[in-house]
Amino acid sequence: ALHACGVPAAPPIVASCPANLAMALGFAGSADLSATDADGIVNNAVITSAAVPGISLVNFQAASAAGANATVSLSVGAGVAQGSYPVVVRFDNDQSQQASCTINVSVASPTGVTHSIPQIQGPGETSPYAGTVQTTEGVVTAKVGSGFFLQDPVGDGDPQTSDGIFVYTTAANSGTVQVGDQVRITGTVTDYAPVAGGHAYTELQNISAIVKTGSGIAVTPTNIQLPYANLGQVEGMLVRFTNALTVSQLEFLGDRGEVTLSSGRLEAPTNHYRAGSNEAKALALANAGNQIVLDDGIFTTPATIPYLGADGSLRAGDTVSGLTGVVDFGAKGGGGAGFKLQPTVAPVFSQDNPRSAPPALVAGNIKVASANVLNYFTTFTNGTDVEGHTVQGCSLGSSVSKSNCRGADNLNEFNRQTAKIVGELKSIDADVFGLMEIQNSGEYTVGYLVKALNEAISPGTGFQTYAVVPKPASTGTDAIRVAMIYKPASLTMVGGALSDADSINNRPPMAQTFAAANGARFSLIVNHLKSKGSCPAGSGGDADKGDGQSCWNATRVNQATRLVTTFAPQVAAAAGDAKVLMIGDFNSYGMEDPIKVITDTGYVNQLERFVRGGGGMPYSFVFNGEAGYLDHALASPALTPSVVDAAEWHNNADEPTVVDYNTDGKPEDKYTAAPYRASDHDPVVISLNLAAPYSDVSAGVTTSATGLVFSRATGKYSSTFSVTNTGAAALSGPFQVEFDGLPAGVTLSNASGSHAGAPYITVNAATLAPGATVSFALSFSKTGTANISYTTKVYSGNF
């Protein structure tokens, strides 16, 4: 036969068979066998050892393709005589290869039971038989990656002692049992704590014997519901939840196949109550007893992401009813350990929280939005940038390195990220956006985003719907900064942007004053306070106090204090207007200390006002199964009457991370360009109805002027001008009297200013009652021979 030198031999067939299969005399059973071949198709299985009546291969399924598994069951009938039978099974493939394995089948009377499963579990947190070898009996209710669950089908009737137990063993041992088999098993009782000092999970290890004593037995699930005072009392048991459970977290769906469930949404305690209060403590305790993690029984990254719906997503707020499975306990995503449910019936989720369009707010004349864009960097973690340059880095303090970059790993990921963020901003269609987590690269990165946004709005036209608010003097030393973009057609910048470069602010707040089309002004301050992560060592003021506010709270309090005592007053003074709106990621839930510092000075929390005030729960972020809002809209007392609505758009926080722009660390790519999971924070949208600062009241007044008198000393013409309220209601001041149509060469010498190209005089009267008159002096100068003439308009308010 032709021999090709240097070509590797064809990979062999690899068989997977249990070494032993123990059967109780008079009972039938089976074991799972499989085989695979990397470059061939396993297409046959046969027993090659001496035939034994009652022992046979059944249910053979050939491999569907090269590399796929062929499966078969080794069946042992109830009539097989007592004894030991080494059964040799040979697998064949389409390449004329063969591989064999031996299963030592033993049929004998089983060892007697020493203690029942409820006795082994005991009523306490640990087993009274921990460290001892016991023989017990039960029915297999579920098989998972590291063993199987066994339950006493009758139980002892004591709700404090679990009737189930987990058997931690090899895949080969698990292959000898099927769900519904009754087995007698011998092993060491162990109280396993996945986290040191945490809950101890009683299980059987070091299995020395598994003997089948029955099959086809159905265990009736025990009905329970969340909240449940102590899930340890049903650990290892088959249960059915009688109440609908709500999806509370999806952070670890893709990499661990986990979904956190609860009875209703869980709110972060400090989102609703002051940190350290009795109410916050009670809610934290209630939340802890109202969670279970739905797992997928694999304990590794699943090849197929479980539980996703037809739209490619599963959202927090969706529900599942009739959930049935076995209560497990073990490590969970994000660290630590908790109770889990390994389902025995495929869960069916109801889309009770479907994807939505941006919130339809009460209409105003200005829409403001806050959006955390989750590390939008035009320089990538692989050292390249959006223009294709290599050996690039990001700035952090005095360091420039690719390790400082936090966003996309490469251009492909960046383009995917851009599509989602642009889709989010375009859908919201705000007149001005405050952005957080933009690369601190001057105006380059925010400018790139605006260019992409404008192209998405008006493809191929070059029309610029949005513009960048030029950066302030300081944008800080962090790798990320805050930024603003706005619609010049809707707003006009008044003055330049300001920032607070005080050392307390690693990411300085940025402020800009705007004028609306009707002349109304307001100032916007975008913030990104110190995050809750990367806790400092020690027990100082910034350490985690265990009150729900996490670490760096003292720094956030100091940042908030400086914001309301120093920076915001500077912004209002520069604007000449007290209407100020603070937005951004404050890294503080609704009732935490930094927010109280701000609201104690009179600022009004608009999400509490409109969302909770409307019967909802305000939230923009989900962490550890609890929802809360880190992203705020806080309006000064002067602005609050002009805020007509505020809400979050839940396009991000409720979505699983597996649908984001990243391409790494995912078993499947579920990305779409739709604006869902564009970030980990939900955007906040605010509707302002800013009244014009002045109104024309000319129709409700009469005006008159005395004759002009020329002064040789001053060279000016003087007169007294009067305004009389002819209406039935008082007019509010101050008043602006505008003098239109002055001839060339004529100047109103004592004008207060100019409006629409005409001079005006301000009359600082608080009100003008019906029939009342207010008078003031006029002074004109002129050149040439033109007569002094004019028409007037009278306005209430300020220009």
Side-chain angles (χ1 to χ4, degrees):
L2 178 67
H3 175 72
C5 297
V7 177
I13 297 173
V14 177
S16 177
C17 307
N20 302 288
L21 175 58
M23 299 297 305
L25 182 64
F27 292 94
S30 63
D32 295 332
L33 318 180
S34 65
T36 185
D37 180 18
D39 68 339
I41 297 175
V42 179
N43 55 15
N44 186 51
V46 62
I47 295 176
T48 58
S49 54
V52 178
I55 298 180
S56 63
L57 295 178
V58 297
N59 301 323
F60 176 77
Q61 293 288 329
S64 59
N69 269 326
T71 59
V72 69
S73 292
L74 177 63
S75 174
V76 179
V80 176
Q82 181 170 324
S84 296
Y85 308 97
V87 178
V88 180
V89 176
R90 189 191 75 211
F91 291 94
D92 305 294
N93 70 1
D94 60 350
Q95 299 171 321
S96 300
Q97 291 177 304
Q98 298 177 339
S100 296
C101 59
T102 300
I103 305 97
N104 292 305
V105 176
S106 61
V107 178
S109 298
T111 304
V113 171
T114 59
H115 289 94
S116 70
I117 292 173
Q119 289 173 330
I120 291 172
Q121 283 281 8
E125 284 293 306
T126 58
S127 170
Y129 299 100
T132 67
V133 175
Q134 300 291 331
T135 298
T136 193
E137 190 170 69
V139 175
V140 177
T141 56
K143 296 169 66 174
V144 293
S146 55
F148 56 90
F149 293 89
L150 205 62
Q151 183 166 335
D152 187 322
V154 178
D156 64 352
D158 185 351
Q160 293 188 341
T161 58
S162 172
D163 297 334
I165 195 167
F166 180 60
V167 179
Y168 178 73
T169 189
T170 63
N173 277 342
S174 294
T176 65
V177 300
Q178 310 297 329
V179 172
D181 284 350
Q182 180 171 284
V183 299
R184 192 165 296 182
I185 187 167
T186 302
T188 302
V189 179
T190 303
D191 284 324
Y192 170 65
V195 176
H199 174 76
Y201 182 61
T202 301
E203 60 186 27
L204 290 175
Q205 296 184 1
N206 304 319
I207 306 305
S208 58
I210 300 175
V211 180
K212 291 187 184 181
T213 58
S215 60
I217 302 172
V219 174
T220 302
T222 298
N223 288 333
I224 66 170
Q225 63 180 15
L226 286 180
Y228 199 87
N230 181 7
L231 286 169
Q233 294 174 348
V234 290
E235 68 181 28
M237 288 179 60
L238 182 65
V239 301
R240 179 182 182 274
F241 286 92
T242 57
N243 56 332
L245 299 182
T246 301
V247 176
S248 290
Q249 177 172 267
L250 292 153
E251 181 72 17
F252 308 103
L253 177 64
D255 57 351
R256 298 179 64 95
E258 295 179 352
V259 179
T260 302
L261 301 173
S262 57
S263 177
R265 291 298 290 265
L266 302 180
E267 183 172 11
T270 54
N271 201 60
H272 201 167
Y273 303 109
R274 287 302 315 280
S277 66
N278 290 334
E279 294 87 349
K281 292 176 181 177
L283 184 54
L285 187 63
N287 285 354
N290 189 16
Q291 289 191 50
I292 193 165
V293 175
L294 174 63
D295 206 352
D296 61 354
I298 297 176
F299 307 144
T300 58
T301 299
T304 301
I305 301 167
Y307 313 130
L308 296 181
D311 62 354
S313 185
L314 174 68
R315 285 171 54 86
D318 289 345
T319 63
V320 58
S321 297
L323 187 64
T324 303
V326 178
V327 177
D328 193 9
F329 186 86
K332 62 179 184 177
F339 285 101
K340 299 182 173 185
L341 189 84
Q342 306 297 347
T344 56
V345 178
V348 178
F349 287 90
S350 173
Q351 289 188 315
D352 292 345
N353 182 29
R355 288 174 168 175
S356 65
L361 302 184
V362 173
N365 56 0
I366 297 296
K367 187 191 290 186
V368 182
S370 166
N372 181 316
V373 293
L374 186 58
N375 295 318
Y376 187 73
F377 277 59
T378 49
T379 310
F380 313 137
T381 63
N382 68 356
T384 64
D385 66 17
V386 71
E387 296 181 8
H389 302 131
T390 59
V391 197
Q392 301 298 300
C394 301
S395 296
L396 178 62
S398 59
S399 165
V400 178
S401 169
K402 68 179 183 180
S403 63
N404 296 333
C405 302
R406 304 177 185 177
D409 295 333
N410 49 56
L411 181 60
N412 178 45
E413 285 193 348
F414 174 77
N415 289 336
R416 289 158 56 116
Q417 180 186 26
T418 299
K420 280 190 172 290
I421 294 172
V422 164
E424 174 182 276
L425 302 182
K426 178 184 175 183
S427 297
I428 294 171
D429 191 32
D431 296 298
V432 57
F433 285 97
L435 304 176
M436 293 117 266
E437 299 196 18
I438 289 279
Q439 182 180 352
N440 194 357
S441 57
E443 291 169 0
Y444 180 84
T445 301
V446 67
Y448 192 98
L449 179 60
V450 166
K451 182 179 178 181
L453 177 58
N454 287 336
E455 175 63 19
I457 295 170
S458 304
T461 66
F463 184 75
Q464 298 183 9
T465 303
Y466 285 93
V468 175
V469 174
K471 68 181 182 65
S474 174
T475 57
T477 58
D478 200 354
I480 53 177
R481 56 166 286 210
V482 299
M484 269 189 242
I485 65 175
Y486 75 109
K487 289 182 177 179
S490 302
L491 295 171
T492 302
M493 290 190 297
V494 179
L498 303 175
S499 64
D500 183 10
D502 187 86
S503 60
I504 192 65
N505 296 313
N506 59 321
R507 296 181 286 258
M510 174 183 176
Q512 177 64 55
T513 301
F514 294 98
N518 65 1
R521 291 186 179 188
F522 77 103
S523 296
L524 185 65
I525 303 179
V526 184
N527 303 272
H528 192 183
L529 271 56
K530 180 72 174 175
S531 69
K532 293 177 178 285
S534 302
C535 296
S539 57
D542 275 321
D544 189 342
K545 307 299 183 185
D547 60 358
Q549 301 186 99
S550 194
C551 52
W552 302 110
N553 190 56
T555 291
R556 288 191 294 276
V557 166
N558 291 336
Q559 290 174 327
T561 300
R562 181 167 176 86
L563 182 62
V564 291
T565 61
T566 302
F567 187 54
Q570 289 175 351
V571 171
D577 193 298
K579 296 190 291 297
V580 177
L581 179 63
M582 296 181 185
I583 61 173
D585 178 2
F586 286 72
N587 274 306
S588 306
Y589 289 126
M591 297 298 145
E592 292 186 359
D593 297 341
I595 307 306
K596 187 173 188 299
V597 165
I598 297 171
T599 56
D600 279 354
T601 65
Y603 278 78
V604 177
N605 187 325
Q606 303 300 320
L607 293 180
E608 289 293 321
R609 178 186 174 196
F610 289 104
V611 179
R612 199 182 300 278
M617 179 181 76
Y619 70 95
S620 65
F621 193 74
V622 173
F623 180 74
N624 199 27
E626 297 175 331
Y629 63 107
L630 303 174
D631 305 86
H632 292 261
L634 305 168
S636 66
L639 180 63
T640 290
S642 299
V643 182
V644 293
D645 208 352
E648 309 97 338
W649 181 23
H650 299 306
N651 64 312
N652 293 327
D654 286 340
E655 295 281 338
T657 54
V658 76
V659 302
D660 70 11
Y661 70 86
N662 288 282
T663 58
D664 56 322
K666 298 177 179 179
E668 294 180 283
D669 189 1
K670 293 295 184 178
Y671 170 85
T672 71
Y676 299 98
R677 199 66 189 190
S679 172
D680 53 348
H681 290 244
D682 288 330
V684 176
V685 190
I686 307 103
S687 180
L688 306 179
N689 194 21
L690 296 170
Y694 55 87
S695 59
D696 189 339
V697 295
S698 301
V701 300
T702 59
T703 60
S704 62
T706 61
L708 291 166
V709 177
F710 179 70
S711 169
R712 293 182 180 276
T714 62
K716 296 183 178 180
Y717 300 83
S718 62
S719 173
T720 299
F721 193 89
S722 299
V723 179
T724 301
N725 182 0
T726 59
L731 298 175
S732 298
F735 300 96
Q736 317 296 331
V737 183
E738 182 179 296
F739 293 83
D740 297 317
L742 289 175
V746 176
T747 303
L748 180 60
S749 303
N750 64 333
S752 302
S754 176
H755 175 252
Y760 67 89
I761 289 180
T762 300
V763 181
N764 287 312
T767 61
L768 188 63
T773 299
V774 63
S775 301
F776 55 91
L778 294 179
S779 177
F780 294 98
S781 61
K782 77 183 187 96
T783 59
T785 60
N787 291 327
I788 298 174
S789 62
Y790 51 81
T791 60
T792 60
K793 293 178 183 175
V794 179
Y795 296 91
S796 170
N798 287 301
F799 287 146

